[in-house]
Amino acid sequence: MSWRSRQRTAATKPLDDQGSTLIKVNPVQFKVPRPATKHVYVIATREQVQALADAMPPNLALGVLLAGTLGLRQGEVLGLQRRDIELDASPALLHVRRSAKEVSENGHKVSILGETKTPSSKRDIEVPAPWPARFENISPPMWTRNRPRCCSPASALAAQ
């Protein structure tokens, strides 16, 4: 018989007709207090997201809109390639298939393309109706600094 089951028996099995038990409270059965929520989430309005995108350099503005409006993670935005955007579909579609990640290689941080955070993160997202025109003027990749090695403009164009 385990320690836990002995404690449970001592706290629940009556010893007499009045229901008295060997111990009044089972010391093994208690609730751990949960800490209060540490974060207070602030969700930006559409106007705030648009104002932030307007304040960004043109090569980053679309990434801000994708993250702020469609809910893409930073790595998912950085992992997008031209082939992931179907402007001809009705409605236009954005395919999330990979994610840019930082890994340590010989003591240095290196950006690479890899799998998404979870298998369910691979998804197709409908692009809002007025947006397809924004994609047409973007040449892959959308970012200029900290570009993953595997995603230089030449390899991104070759992958189309």
Side-chain angles (χ1 to χ4, degrees), residues 56-121:
M56 299 300 286
N59 62 318
L60 300 177
L62 183 59
V64 169
L65 288 173
L66 290 171
T69 308
L70 300 180
L72 270 66
R73 296 179 177 100
Q74 178 184 1
E76 293 171 344
V77 171
L78 296 175
L80 287 175
Q81 297 176 354
R82 178 60 94 176
R83 65 182 173 188
D84 297 326
I85 304 165
E86 271 190 66
L87 298 176
D88 301 339
S90 181
L93 291 175
L94 182 70
H95 305 288
V96 179
R97 297 291 180 259
R98 70 198 69 72
S99 181
K101 301 173 185 192
E102 280 189 352
V103 295
S104 182
E105 206 173 85
N106 297 327
H108 294 56
K109 286 185 178 179
V110 179
S111 296
I112 62 165
L113 279 184
E115 293 293 316
T116 55
K117 187 174 177 182
T118 63
S120 62
S121 294

Side-chain angles (χ1 to χ4, degrees), residues 12-13 16 21 33 35 41 45 51 55 67 83 100 102 105 109 111 117 120 124 132-133 138 145 147:
T12 58
K13 188 174 181 183
D16 55 23
T21 57
Y41 294 99
T45 65
R83 65 182 173 188
E102 280 189 352
E105 206 173 85
K109 286 185 178 179
S111 296
K117 187 174 177 182
S120 62
D124 298 329
I138 302 295
R145 278 190 227 141
R147 178 182 308 136

Side-chain angles (χ1 to χ4, degrees), residues 2-23:
S2 72
W3 171 255
R4 182 178 211 139
S5 62
R6 286 181 186 167
Q7 290 293 330
R8 187 180 309 120
T9 301
T12 58
K13 188 174 181 183
L15 297 174
D16 55 23
D17 294 337
Q18 285 83 24
S20 300
T21 57
L22 187 59
I23 58 174

